Amino acid sequence: MELVGGGDGMRRWRLAAGAAALVLLVATASVPLGLYVPENVVRIAYEIEQRRIVYSWGGGHAEEPGPSKGTCKGYRGKIQPCPAARTRGLDCSGFARWVYALASGSDVLGPGNTDDHVRRMRRVQVAMPGDLVFFGKITKKAPKTHHVGIYLGNGKMMNAPETGAVVRVDDIARRKDFLGFYRL
């Protein structure tokens, strides 16, 4: 490689050096805390789906995001008696919380339920993969929600749907009370 003089050789060397520095910078940069990266959200959701993590009412709401034992407080599921207190897993909002925490580097959604999460976001008319899709109804005060999934595109979402199921992909139309798409 020509290091002395001008001309095309030096120009190519400078371009190559600049490109190498840019590649090194990008490769070593970490995701800033709290940064919403839709591609990471979708990728991580699919990685979690492969783990076949079970649904647990209240699961994923421990101090740190991720699978945890659930609770039977407020449980009205089909499977009785309530298995949540002895089941390590995720409920729908616990799943969304964990995925967003892994994708952004911080617990951006926090330990609350779907109502708490929807309040931290803004509704969007045009959804992008990685947005959250909420189900429930609009009230005078704020949205009243009961389910959330991660939008994948093409009318599909990744979600922790119900007791007895695992994290999976479902059609959004499977649920009747679509509220809207929301983004950080």
Side-chain angles (χ1 to χ4, degrees):
M1 187 169 288
E2 183 179 300
L3 298 178
V4 181
D8 288 337
M10 182 59 111
R11 227 178 334 269
R12 279 192 294 262
W13 182 83
R14 285 184 183 145
L15 284 172
L22 182 59
V23 166
L24 182 61
L25 178 65
V26 169
T28 59
S30 63
V31 175
L33 294 181
L35 180 66
Y36 171 69
V37 184
E39 298 82 15
N40 286 348
V41 170
V42 172
R43 178 184 52 78
I44 290 167
Y46 275 108
E47 289 173 2
I48 290 173
E49 179 200 28
Q50 297 304 308
R51 297 181 188 183
R52 309 232 359 112
I53 296 172
V54 298
Y55 180 94
S56 180
W57 177 264
H61 296 283
E63 188 174 325
E64 295 295 320
S68 65
K69 287 190 178 172
T71 179
C72 290
K73 183 179 179 183
Y75 177 80
R76 294 184 305 272
K78 296 175 190 172
I79 298 175
Q80 296 291 336
C82 169
R86 62 183 184 277
T87 304
R88 184 174 166 79
L90 299 164
D91 69 7
C92 62
S93 56
F95 169 66
R97 175 189 183 206
W98 190 32
V99 171
Y100 267 62
L102 291 171
S104 67
S106 68
D107 189 7
V108 294
L109 293 180
N113 62 23
T114 55
D115 287 341
D116 298 319
H117 293 171
V118 76
R119 286 186 205 108
R120 293 181 180 98
M121 308 187 87
R122 62 184 165 85
R123 188 172 183 178
V124 296
Q125 296 303 313
V126 179
M128 293 178 7
D131 288 342
L132 294 183
V133 54
F134 284 91
F135 298 84
K137 62 183 177 180
I138 297 289
T139 66
K140 289 182 181 182
K141 292 182 180 181
K144 180 69 179 148
T145 61
H146 65 84
H147 189 67
V148 63
I150 296 172
Y151 183 61
L152 303 173
N154 299 319
K156 304 278 187 195
M157 68 175 170
M158 183 84 61
N159 68 137
E162 61 202 2
T163 302
V166 296
V167 171
R168 69 182 187 210
V169 175
D170 282 323
D171 288 322
I172 291 172
R174 179 176 179 260
R175 294 191 172 263
K176 303 294 181 224
D177 54 353
F178 171 78
L179 183 65
F181 297 106
Y182 288 76
R183 185 175 301 151
L184 279 178

